[in-house]
């Protein structure tokens, strides 16, 4: 199999470099081996933080994306310049967007992917928690930039899902998706009345959960969900994380019933380090599927162990799979990589991506 990263190949293809001025940033040729891509719309990308990054990293290697089109053009430039490492600054949605733009450009141009890294500047930062990355303080930013510049830094293969043609570390539906939808609506409301900028992301998140998500969760009937294995043999997960030896063949209905959460992941963490999928990274050729009808009372009564990922209950059904379909009785919020979809849906197909990517890790 061809290696994902061959910088000497990328640097030979200099004829593919876009014309000067084709990107809003950088304003000068790159001088290093690390590209930093920031999502200008991420709440963590403030003017102060941007100034700190410009003081810590060459201006020519700093890319500021303001739209989907910018992101695609930046991805092409990163590849043809032959950067050894690309750091994505924003939340999990930023990582998914930048990764997919890089992947598409890599296939179109025939150039290999660099190794990847994360500057956790979003709200939940599931990948940042999983990788053990530093907080985005001035010292933390310097730590992650130093890690990215060192070719000997620890890295790991990151397995991914493919959903709607997108590569992502997690996706699904349930309370998590409803919270994301409520967070988006709450933020828009707070911005409209001119107080959103005064509130931290965690405060807006807490308001969305307390005022919208929890009351709905407690008072409304849960939707009926069916999760079907549509890939190779699936396996139930035993309490210690080991696969049950009995294979569940293609076509097996893994779960049917009311749903608090139905989703899949290749990393254990959701936002804020909550370990919703504690077994997700244990099998290289499978991802974890979790289906649950746990009540709000059960979740709150065992909240510490739920957050740590060591809670076990008959209400939790866990499986190792390589492809599943989620069918819901009515359209509901669904999320891919921490970004809730614009339209509610009643179906999602999740498959294991063929190849992992290389990503910098602190642990």
């Amino acid at each position: 199999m061809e290696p994902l990263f061959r910088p000497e190949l990328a640097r030979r293809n200099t004829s593919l470099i876009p014309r000067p001025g084709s990107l809003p940033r950088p304003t000068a040729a790159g001088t290093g081996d690390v590209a930093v891509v920031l999502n200008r719309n991420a709440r963590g990308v403030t003017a102060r933080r941007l100034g700190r990054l410009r003081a810590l990293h060459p201006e020519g290697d700093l890319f500021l994306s303001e739209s989907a089109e910018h992101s695609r053009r930046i991805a092409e430039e990163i590849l043809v310049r032959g950067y050894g490492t690309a750091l994505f600054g924003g939340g999990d949605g930023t990582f998914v967007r930048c990764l997919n733009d890089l992947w598409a450009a890599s296939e179109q141009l025939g150039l290999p992917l660099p190794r990847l890294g994360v500057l956790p500047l979003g709200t939940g930062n599931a990948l940042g928690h999983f990788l053990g990355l530093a907080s985005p303080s001035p010292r933390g930013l310097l730590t992650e930039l130093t890690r990215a510049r060192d070719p000997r830094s620890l890295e790991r293969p990151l397995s991914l899902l493919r959903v709607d043609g997108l590569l992502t570390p997690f996706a699904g539906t349930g309370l998590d998706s409803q919270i994301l939808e409520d967070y988006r609506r709450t933020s828009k409301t707070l911005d409209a009345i001119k107080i959103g900028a005064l509130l931290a992301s965690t405060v807006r998140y807490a308001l969305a959960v307390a005022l919208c998500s929890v009351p709905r969760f407690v008072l409304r009937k849960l939707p009926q969900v069916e999760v079907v294995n549509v890939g190779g043999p699936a396996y139930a997960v035993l309490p210690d994380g080991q696969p049950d030896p009995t294979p569940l063949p293609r076509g097996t209905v893994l779960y049917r019933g009311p749903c608090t959460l139905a989703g899949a992941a290749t990393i254990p963490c959701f936002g804020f380090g909550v370990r919703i999928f504690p077994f997700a990274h244990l099998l290289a050729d499978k991802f974890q599927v979790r289906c649950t009808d746990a009540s709000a009372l059960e979740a709150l009564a065992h909240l510490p162990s739920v957050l740590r990922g060591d809670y076990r209950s008959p209400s939790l059904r866990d499986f190792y799979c390589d492809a599943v379909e989620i069918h819901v009785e009515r359209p509901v919020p669904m999320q891919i990589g921490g970004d809730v979809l614009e339209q509610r849906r009643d179906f999602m197909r999740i498959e294991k991506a063929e190849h992992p990517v290389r990503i910098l890790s602190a642990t």
Side-chain angles (χ1 to χ4, degrees):
M1 182 175 63
E2 285 290 312
L4 289 177
F5 173 55
R6 285 167 55 193
E8 70 279 6
L9 175 60
R11 291 192 172 100
R12 284 200 296 268
N13 284 270
T14 55
S15 62
L16 297 172
I17 296 177
R19 296 186 304 275
S22 63
L23 288 171
R25 294 191 186 278
T27 56
T31 57
D33 201 37
V34 178
V36 176
V37 184
L38 301 176
N39 176 4
R40 189 65 182 89
N41 299 313
R43 291 186 180 271
V45 183
T46 61
R48 176 177 295 183
R49 191 163 282 145
L50 183 56
R52 288 171 178 162
L53 282 166
R54 283 174 169 154
L56 293 170
H57 200 65
E59 175 81 5
D61 298 323
L62 187 61
F63 297 80
L64 192 60
S65 176
E66 299 181 3
S67 67
E69 177 61 24
H70 282 177
S71 180
R72 289 189 289 269
R73 289 155 58 195
I74 288 169
E76 292 177 2
E77 185 146 343
I78 287 173
L79 289 172
V80 297
R81 286 189 181 189
Y83 285 102
T85 302
L87 281 183
F88 302 145
D92 297 307
T94 297
F95 175 84
V96 169
R97 178 74 271 162
C98 292
L99 166 64
N100 280 278
D101 287 339
L102 264 183
W103 191 278
S106 172
E107 293 195 333
Q108 180 181 4
L109 299 176
L111 298 174
L113 287 176
R115 67 176 182 173
L116 307 178
V118 175
L119 292 176
L121 302 175
T123 302
N125 297 311
L127 269 170
H129 286 285
F130 171 57
L131 299 169
L133 303 183
S135 64
S137 64
R139 182 184 296 273
L141 292 174
L142 178 59
T143 296
E144 296 311 323
L145 288 170
T146 302
R147 191 194 317 280
R149 291 167 184 154
D150 186 351
R152 300 165 299 176
S153 291
L154 180 66
E155 59 183 63
R156 65 166 70 191
L158 176 66
S159 296
L160 296 163
L161 310 173
R162 190 177 292 277
V163 187
D164 285 0
L166 294 176
L167 299 172
T168 178
F170 55 89
T173 187
L175 182 59
D176 62 312
S177 303
Q178 186 63 69
I179 289 173
L180 289 170
E181 185 180 71
D182 290 337
Y183 173 78
R184 183 173 65 184
R185 290 177 176 174
T186 300
S187 293
K188 287 183 178 179
T189 300
L190 293 172
D191 289 340
I193 60 177
K194 309 301 183 182
I195 64 172
L198 303 177
L199 302 176
S201 296
T202 51
V203 174
R204 292 191 301 274
Y205 199 90
L207 287 173
V209 171
L211 300 178
C212 302
S213 306
V214 170
R216 184 187 295 104
F217 182 37
V218 172
L219 299 175
R220 291 190 181 179
K221 182 181 178 182
L222 294 174
Q224 295 289 313
V225 172
E226 182 177 87
V227 180
V228 183
N229 175 32
V230 293
Y235 299 89
V237 181
L238 300 175
D240 62 355
Q242 294 299 308
D244 185 288
T246 304
L248 303 171
R250 181 184 179 92
T252 300
V253 176
L254 303 177
Y255 177 79
R256 181 187 289 125
C259 171
T260 305
L261 179 141
T266 59
I267 64 173
C269 299
F270 260 15
F272 305 104
V274 178
R275 295 176 64 85
I276 296 296
F277 296 92
F279 313 120
H281 61 306
L282 298 184
L283 295 187
D285 60 339
K286 303 284 185 182
F287 54 81
Q288 182 187 349
V289 172
R290 170 162 283 188
C291 309
T292 180
D293 58 357
S295 66
L297 180 61
E298 179 181 355
L300 292 173
H302 302 90
L303 190 58
S305 59
V306 170
L307 298 180
R308 292 193 305 267
D310 54 20
Y311 180 58
R312 304 291 180 264
S313 166
S315 66
L316 301 178
R317 288 82 163 183
D318 294 317
F319 304 92
Y320 289 125
C321 307
D322 55 43
V324 296
E325 289 181 352
I326 299 174
H327 302 263
V328 190
E329 65 174 340
R330 62 176 185 268
V332 295
M334 293 188 173
Q335 59 87 11
I336 298 177
D339 274 356
V340 66
L341 302 181
E342 290 294 331
Q343 300 294 326
R344 293 187 171 195
R345 291 169 38 173
D346 59 6
F347 173 80
M348 176 176 280
R349 182 183 177 96
I350 304 173
E351 300 174 301
K352 180 77 162 50
E354 184 177 359
H355 300 296
V357 295
R358 296 187 303 138
I359 193 163
L360 290 167
S361 176
T363 57

